[in-house]
């Protein structure tokens, strides 16, 4: 409830506030735990998820800043920009490939969405619907979730 996280794009880091103090996660680089222009961050009960745009992946950290998992590289993600974490999935926009990749909580690919997408930048799940913002064409695509 008192937590906050900021994707500090130009400084290649994430700033995390646990309700008492700020912590810095990452620095510029390509290895796990480092970033190349992080664009989005989501906090869950026990994890921090980061869209690591130009390392073309999602990175997952504990709230103690320990790197837990990276995924997206195997699918040739190109510029991960926006992400949304639900109770059972992680959805990430793949900007240059004009698609959204949906993973389970262990980082295994479950679904690829491509219809009506053109350079998607961000997404949101609301009332069992997935809304995806398209940069190209300035439109919003809506998917009804099962």
């Amino acid at each position: 409830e008192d937590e906050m996280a900021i994707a500090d794009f130009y400084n290649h880091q994430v700033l995390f506030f646990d309700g008492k103090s700020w912590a810095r996660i990452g620095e510029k680089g390509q290895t796990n735990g480092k970033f190349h222009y992080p664009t989005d961050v989501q906090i869950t009960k026990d994890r921090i998820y980061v869209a690591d745009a130009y390392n073309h992946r999602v990175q997952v950290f504990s709230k103690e800043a320990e790197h837990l998992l990276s995924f997206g590289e195997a699918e040739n993600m190109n510029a991960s920009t926006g992400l949304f974490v639900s109770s059972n999935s992680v959805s990430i926009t793949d900007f240059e490939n004009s698609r959204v990749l949906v993973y389970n909580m262990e980082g295994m690919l479950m679904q690829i969405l491509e219809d009506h997408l053109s350079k998607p930048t961000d997404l949101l799940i609301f009332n069992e619907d997935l809304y995806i913002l398209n940069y190209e064409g300035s439109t919003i695509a809506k998917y009804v979730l099962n």
Side-chain angles (χ1 to χ4, degrees):
E1 296 191 9
D2 294 329
E3 296 175 328
M4 276 190 281
I6 300 168
D8 187 357
F9 184 79
Y10 288 112
N11 290 310
H12 309 282
Q13 65 185 355
V14 168
L15 302 173
F16 175 64
F17 183 72
D18 66 4
K20 298 175 186 164
S21 61
W22 286 94
R24 178 179 176 260
I25 301 171
E27 61 185 327
K28 187 174 184 177
Q30 296 179 335
T31 58
N32 287 334
K34 296 184 179 184
F35 302 113
H36 193 61
Y37 297 107
T39 54
D40 201 358
V41 61
Q42 292 259 306
I43 306 168
T44 65
K45 181 180 176 185
D46 59 351
R47 293 182 173 190
I48 301 168
Y49 293 78
V50 181
D52 189 4
Y54 295 108
N55 279 330
H56 315 293
R57 64 186 175 192
V58 173
Q59 291 198 66
V60 185
F61 297 86
S62 70
K63 291 191 176 173
E64 291 74 37
E66 174 189 359
H67 179 268
L68 302 173
L69 179 66
S70 292
F71 53 91
E73 294 113 324
E75 291 75 38
N76 296 311
M77 191 181 294
N78 191 353
S80 54
T81 54
L83 75 119
F84 190 86
V85 181
S86 71
S87 61
N88 61 356
S89 67
V90 178
S91 300
I92 180 81
T93 58
D94 184 1
F95 182 80
E96 293 295 343
N97 291 320
S98 291
R99 62 187 183 167
V100 168
L101 304 173
V102 182
Y103 296 87
N104 67 17
M105 302 312 278
E106 289 77 42
M108 300 298 297
L109 182 66
M110 298 186 331
Q111 188 174 13
I112 298 174
L113 306 174
E114 297 176 299
D115 292 342
H116 310 290
L117 300 182
S118 185
K119 306 257 187 233
T121 57
D122 210 353
L123 64 165
L124 171 72
I125 296 175
F126 183 73
N127 288 338
E128 301 302 316
D129 294 324
L130 172 63
Y131 296 91
I132 304 166
L133 178 63
N134 288 305
Y135 173 77
E136 206 166 68
S138 300
T139 62
I140 297 175
K142 178 182 173 183
Y143 284 78
V144 177
L145 302 175
N146 296 335

